[in-house]
Amino acid sequence: MAVLVGMTMAMAGPAPATTAAQRQQQQQVTYVANQTSDNVSVIDTSTNTVVDTITVGDAPRGLAITPGGTRVYVANADSDNVSVIDTSTNTVVDTITVGDRPWAVAVSPGGTRVYVVNRDSDNVSVISTASNTVIDTITVGDDPTGVAVTPGGTRVYVANLGSDNVSVISTASNTVVDTITVGAAPVAPVVTPGGTRVYVTNAGSGSVSVISTASNTVIDTITVGAAPEGLAVTPGGTRVYVANNVSDNVSVISTASNTVIDTITVGDGPLGVAVTPGGTRVYVTNFVSGTASVISTATNTVTGTITVGTGPVGVDSGLIPD
């Protein structure tokens, strides 16, 4: 099967609104976790160039930027820990031991909690960002690979690749309150900005399951490319971009009709997807090519290709203090 990735990142819902004055004092960046080179590439999205490279743990997979843009949390699959990056210096300021083979990361909308899925432990580590310590561990399904938090911060959705289902966690109690059967080998969930739906890639079915958060049931299934992995939703919630690892392309889904409205050829072995805060661009990591493709959402065409580290997987775009 294709190399599998659970993406989190911007899927955790929109960051708190910022004023025009605040935005002028922020820099838009994209962070890319490079599994094979054990580092993170920092892309300045104004120039689409790599401006820094940060050494982290062994085999970094998923990562997520906090809503305030001050920290990046990186799951290191082979060292069983999470690296904490200070975005003001692009240095690792803390390392947190979690479960076995951490795979994906999501941050709560308020930025107080980080949820890390541990693929070989079949659980989720809950990190307090105030202390950078694990404050709880939640058992989920088999081989959890992806995680997303609802915009209200009340629920966490975890894709369990080995059990073909999604665990629903209540953040109030840190317990699983529901389990939803989806397609074969689910990899990554994303929650729409309004919090009404969850889209989940099924690598084994070549499809995306659409879940209603009101009922926690699958209300639609969308056929996409071969071995879909990472996905991301635009800030307006109108489109979902899906990386198809084996067919080397990205499916564009309209959330109004739940149909594929475009298909974009990218690099070799696409895995991760992130949409910029303004919604104008999409960054796609290409594992085999060692690159990130830049897609314009206005035209759904690739407008640039950036060489990053080797084996790029997780990706997140956000605003950091300038």
Side-chain angles (χ1 to χ4, degrees), residues 8-9 12 62-76 81-85 94-99 102-118 123-138 146-149 153 155-158 169 171 174 316:
T8 82
M9 343 170 212
L63 57 74
I65 304 170
T66 57
T70 59
R71 297 286 186 271
V72 179
Y73 286 78
V74 185
N76 303 305
N81 57 27
V82 171
S83 298
V84 184
I85 296 171
D94 214 337
T95 303
I96 308 162
T97 300
V98 289
W103 208 253
V105 186
V107 185
S108 64
T112 60
R113 298 287 183 268
V114 174
Y115 297 85
V116 182
V117 292
N118 304 301
N123 59 24
V124 175
S125 298
V126 184
I127 296 170
S128 164
T129 58
S131 61
N132 280 337
T133 57
V134 174
I135 57 172
D136 214 337
T137 303
I138 309 161
V147 58
V149 187
R155 295 286 186 271
V156 175
Y157 287 78
V158 177
I169 296 169
T171 58
N174 281 338
D316 196 10

Side-chain angles (χ1 to χ4, degrees), residues 18-181:
T18 56
T19 66
Q22 287 172 324
R23 284 193 294 270
Q24 289 175 359
Q25 297 176 4
Q26 292 176 313
Q27 177 187 7
Q28 187 167 279
V29 294
T30 295
Y31 286 81
V32 176
N34 303 302
Q35 178 181 326
T36 309
S37 52
D38 297 338
N39 55 26
V40 171
S41 299
V42 185
I43 298 170
D44 181 341
T45 59
S46 66
T47 59
N48 279 335
T49 56
V50 174
V51 294
D52 215 337
T53 303
I54 309 160
T55 299
V56 289
D58 296 335
R61 298 277 313 180
L63 57 74
I65 304 170
T66 57
T70 59
R71 297 286 186 271
V72 179
Y73 286 78
V74 185
N76 303 305
D78 288 353
S79 50
D80 297 340
N81 57 27
V82 171
S83 298
V84 184
I85 296 171
D86 181 338
T87 61
S88 66
T89 59
N90 280 335
T91 57
V92 174
V93 293
D94 214 337
T95 303
I96 308 162
T97 300
V98 289
D100 193 3
R101 216 174 177 204
W103 208 253
V105 186
V107 185
S108 64
T112 60
R113 298 287 183 268
V114 174
Y115 297 85
V116 182
V117 292
N118 304 301
R119 185 167 179 180
D120 286 359
S121 304
D122 298 336
N123 59 24
V124 175
S125 298
V126 184
I127 296 170
S128 164
T129 58
S131 61
N132 280 337
T133 57
V134 174
I135 57 172
D136 214 337
T137 303
I138 309 161
T139 299
V140 289
D142 298 336
D143 290 334
T145 54
V147 58
V149 187
T150 57
T154 59
R155 295 286 186 271
V156 175
Y157 287 78
V158 177
N160 303 304
L161 182 134
S163 49
D164 298 339
N165 57 26
V166 171
S167 298
V168 185
I169 296 169
S170 164
T171 58
S173 60
N174 281 338
T175 57
V176 174
V177 294
D178 215 338
T179 303
I180 309 161
T181 300

Side-chain angles (χ1 to χ4, degrees), residues 159-284:
N160 303 304
L161 182 134
S163 49
D164 298 339
N165 57 26
V166 171
S167 298
V168 185
I169 296 169
S170 164
T171 58
S173 60
N174 281 338
T175 57
V176 174
V177 294
D178 215 338
T179 303
I180 309 161
T181 300
V182 288
V187 177
V190 63
V191 186
T192 56
T196 59
R197 295 182 193 173
V198 177
Y199 288 76
V200 183
T201 52
N202 304 303
S205 304
S207 67
V208 172
S209 296
V210 185
I211 295 169
S212 164
T213 57
S215 60
N216 280 335
T217 58
V218 174
I219 57 173
D220 213 339
T221 302
I222 309 161
T223 299
V224 289
E229 304 250 358
L231 75 172
V233 62
T234 55
T238 59
R239 295 181 188 174
V240 174
Y241 287 78
V242 181
N244 302 304
N245 182 253
V246 171
S247 49
D248 297 338
N249 56 26
V250 171
S251 298
V252 185
I253 295 171
S254 164
T255 58
S257 60
N258 281 336
T259 58
V260 174
I261 57 172
D262 215 337
T263 303
I264 310 161
T265 299
V266 289
D268 194 357
L271 286 177
V273 187
V275 183
T276 56
T280 59
R281 280 178 281 180
V282 176
Y283 287 80
V284 181

